[in-house]
Amino acid sequence: MNTKVKFIVSFKLTNSEKEVLPAMSEPFESVLERFLLTHSVHFEHPHRNTKSASLYAVYTIEVEVHQPAAVFYLGKLIEGEAGILQLFDEGVESFSFRVE
């Protein structure tokens, strides 16, 4: 039985003025491509009209898995790579990760 899973990684960007991907996004995307994980990216302004306007780069990775254990391992891979991007990229303030 196949199960469709969506991994969502949101990077809070330090610059809330420009919709520019973080400098380390290319290595992050290359890891996703290496494991044949198709993804899309868009920008969100959840608090656009407030004083603390934030800008997020949101990656959505959708996969179809054959074994439930694969969700756990793919999640750890994606979350680990997102953590590396956040750790070494000054343009990223923080990140969040969720599975749907």
Side-chain angles (χ1 to χ4, degrees):
M1 184 171 95
N2 296 346
T3 305
K4 290 187 179 186
V5 180
K6 188 185 296 185
F7 300 98
I8 300 172
V9 182
S10 299
F11 294 102
K12 184 177 182 182
L13 306 177
T14 54
N15 183 353
S16 62
E17 301 296 318
K18 294 182 182 179
E19 291 186 353
V20 177
L21 288 174
M24 296 284 293
S25 63
E26 189 174 317
F28 177 73
E29 291 177 4
S30 70
V31 168
L32 298 177
E33 292 166 3
R34 186 176 335 132
F35 288 95
L36 305 175
L37 300 172
T38 57
H39 64 279
S40 62
V41 63
H42 68 277
F43 293 95
E44 288 183 0
H45 299 269
H47 310 288
R48 183 180 298 238
N49 297 325
T50 65
K51 200 174 193 180
S52 62
S54 300
L55 177 62
Y56 293 83
V58 180
Y59 281 84
T60 304
I61 302 114
E62 295 187 60
V63 296
E64 192 169 317
V65 295
H66 306 288
Q67 296 181 353
V71 174
F72 174 79
Y73 293 109
L74 284 173
K76 290 297 181 187
L77 169 78
I78 295 166
E79 187 177 21
E81 289 298 322
I84 290 170
L85 187 152
Q86 188 258 321
L87 187 63
F88 292 105
D89 194 316
E90 293 177 359
V92 176
E93 187 175 311
S94 61
F95 81 96
S96 65
F97 173 78
R98 72 180 191 269
V99 181
E100 295 181 352

